[in-house]
Amino acid sequence: MPKWASGPTGQPSYWCRAKKELSAADPVIADIIKGCGRGGLIGQGDPFVTLVRSIVAQQISVRAADSIWNRLEEAAGGISPKMVSARDEAELQGAGLTRRKASYIRDVAVAFLDGSVAPTMWHEKDDEGVIADLVGLRGIGRWTAEMFLIFHLLRPNILPLDDIGLIRACERHYAAGEEMARGDIEQLAERWQPWRSVATWYLWRSLDSTAVAY
């Protein structure tokens, strides 16, 4: 197994505790959790896959991202740094990626292969330390780094304030559909500490029965 293909897998050990504490702290989240039934965040263990999926998903819907991902996987013959770097940008664009996203994904693949990134070190860094490393890669901004923290490192307390799904869910459930400012959401999320990643996951599910996965 490649040195980078290691990370937490399965559901986080904190998930059940987080559900109970969030339900006690916020009746809105409690109702959403009840309505979602079983399931939860699942770690896949491969940092490269999570980063590529996050780049694919930038500024598009979950369904559109899933469709492009399936086509990309077929076009590349699998999602690994070696397979992706072996394709030129035109081939990656053929899967439905924009030119920029194709370039970003290929750059990330090369960075994994040449050792420019050191994923094994991210487990030892705090959230902001990981974000600082990731945003140094072309095409990865704070939102993508936050998705990596949630879906690969399974960090429990990430609040992606620029995520459109989180914003829409908060507006629907807490503001009767009215617009909410970034600061309002941040203040609202104080009651979710230290489980803001879990609250965010359930708010996403309240908008779409298809679980978000990167």
Side-chain angles (χ1 to χ4, degrees), residues 22-177:
L22 283 168
S23 296
D26 187 331
V28 173
I29 295 292
D31 287 343
I32 292 172
I33 289 173
K34 287 178 184 176
C36 285
R38 295 184 177 181
L41 177 63
I42 300 294
Q44 302 298 324
D46 189 327
F48 180 73
V49 167
T50 298
L51 282 177
V52 173
R53 287 202 73 136
S54 298
I55 293 171
V56 168
Q58 290 171 356
Q59 299 179 323
I60 61 175
S61 71
V62 173
R63 294 181 189 277
D66 284 345
S67 176
I68 292 172
W69 175 262
N70 291 334
R71 288 152 60 192
L72 177 63
E73 194 168 23
E74 183 177 353
I79 305 299
S80 72
K82 184 176 181 179
M83 289 178 173
V84 170
S85 65
R87 309 296 173 183
D88 60 32
E89 290 180 16
E91 289 178 287
L92 299 179
Q93 282 183 259
L97 294 169
T98 64
R99 180 183 59 80
R100 284 187 176 181
K101 285 186 180 181
S103 177
Y104 297 156
I105 287 170
R106 202 170 182 286
D107 280 359
V108 171
V110 172
F112 269 72
L113 287 175
D114 68 15
S116 299
V117 296
T120 55
M121 300 298 294
W122 291 331
H123 298 278
E124 302 170 12
K125 294 191 175 186
D126 64 15
D127 297 338
E128 291 301 322
V130 175
I131 289 171
D133 281 355
L134 287 172
V135 298
L137 295 171
R138 198 168 70 93
I140 295 181
R142 187 175 181 91
W143 178 86
T144 305
E146 288 169 338
M147 294 305 102
F148 185 83
L149 286 167
I150 294 172
F151 288 97
H152 178 67
L153 294 177
L154 306 184
R155 298 289 173 88
N157 200 33
I158 305 303
L159 183 68
L161 285 168
D162 295 320
D163 183 83
I164 190 63
L166 174 63
I167 294 168
R168 287 176 177 167
C170 286
E171 290 172 347
R172 174 184 292 185
H173 295 292
Y174 296 94

